[in-house]
Amino acid sequence: MTFRVTQKLAVKTNVVPVAALPPHDNPLLDMSSLFSAKGRYRTLSDLEISQMTEDPAIDYEFDQNYPNPFNPTTTFRFGLPQTAHVTLEVYNILGQKVTTLADREYPPGRYTVDWDSRSADGQEIASGVYFARFKAGEFEATQKMVVVK
């Protein structure tokens, strides 16, 4: 069974705690100086989250986005063995949050989320390396992705 959920979400972008940053390979990069206290709101119009199947995953899953590299759209897939609160956020190479793609509770199953490579304020992002951070319950995973223009 396949169905699509289209909804509008209000997402507040706040200071990202250092503990919530994706891992990076440069130990010399001091992430603590990169954040400001400015908060912005974004309404995600027509965010498409599709449930691919009602069959729950055996374990938590977060697959590499495809295509990767991409321009301008990419798709994320994840699976949940049980109901869980899911957050899917995109960060730039400096560890700054670019946008939030999912932030709600999902029932067990497998899902896809499409991203149009726009920031929280609706601007197209620059070419470069980004990280998708996925959290569901106690499970956390980060995937590296590349945007090419």
Side-chain angles (χ1 to χ4, degrees), residues 11-15 38-42 97-100 120:
V11 178
K12 182 173 182 174
T13 305
N14 284 324
V15 176
K38 295 179 182 176
R40 291 195 306 255
Y41 289 91
R42 175 183 180 205
K97 188 187 316 184
V98 174
T99 192
T100 301

Side-chain angles (χ1 to χ4, degrees), residues 3-145:
F3 62 89
R4 293 192 183 278
V5 178
T6 303
Q7 59 180 271
K8 294 190 180 209
L9 302 171
V11 178
K12 182 173 182 174
T13 305
N14 284 324
V15 176
V16 179
V18 174
L21 297 175
H24 57 82
D25 296 326
N26 185 352
L28 302 176
L29 184 60
D30 179 13
M31 299 283 205
S32 63
S33 65
L34 300 175
F35 305 104
S36 68
K38 295 179 182 176
R40 291 195 306 255
Y41 289 91
R42 175 183 180 205
T43 300
L44 301 173
S45 301
D46 301 325
L47 175 64
E48 271 196 30
I49 299 175
S50 302
Q51 185 170 6
M52 296 173 4
T53 177
E54 288 182 351
D55 298 328
I58 294 172
D59 202 359
Y60 289 100
E61 301 169 355
F62 181 53
D63 297 335
Q64 181 67 50
N65 64 300
Y66 64 91
N68 189 26
F70 67 96
N71 177 24
T73 304
T74 192
T75 301
F76 300 95
R77 290 187 298 189
F78 63 91
L80 304 173
Q82 61 192 22
T83 299
H85 185 89
V86 170
T87 57
L88 177 56
E89 300 167 324
V90 177
Y91 292 87
N92 64 19
I93 194 74
L94 299 175
Q96 299 163 325
K97 188 187 316 184
V98 174
T99 192
T100 301
L101 301 175
D103 188 11
R104 69 176 181 88
E105 196 160 296
Y106 288 86
R110 291 185 171 89
Y111 299 87
T112 62
V113 178
D114 295 326
W115 180 42
D116 62 0
S117 67
R118 292 188 179 271
S119 66
D121 59 5
Q123 302 296 315
E124 287 190 26
I125 61 170
S127 296
V129 176
Y130 293 84
F131 297 93
R133 177 115 189 215
F134 175 80
K135 291 186 207 176
E138 298 296 316
F139 178 81
E140 293 184 26
T142 303
Q143 298 286 349
K144 180 178 172 182
M145 57 189 162

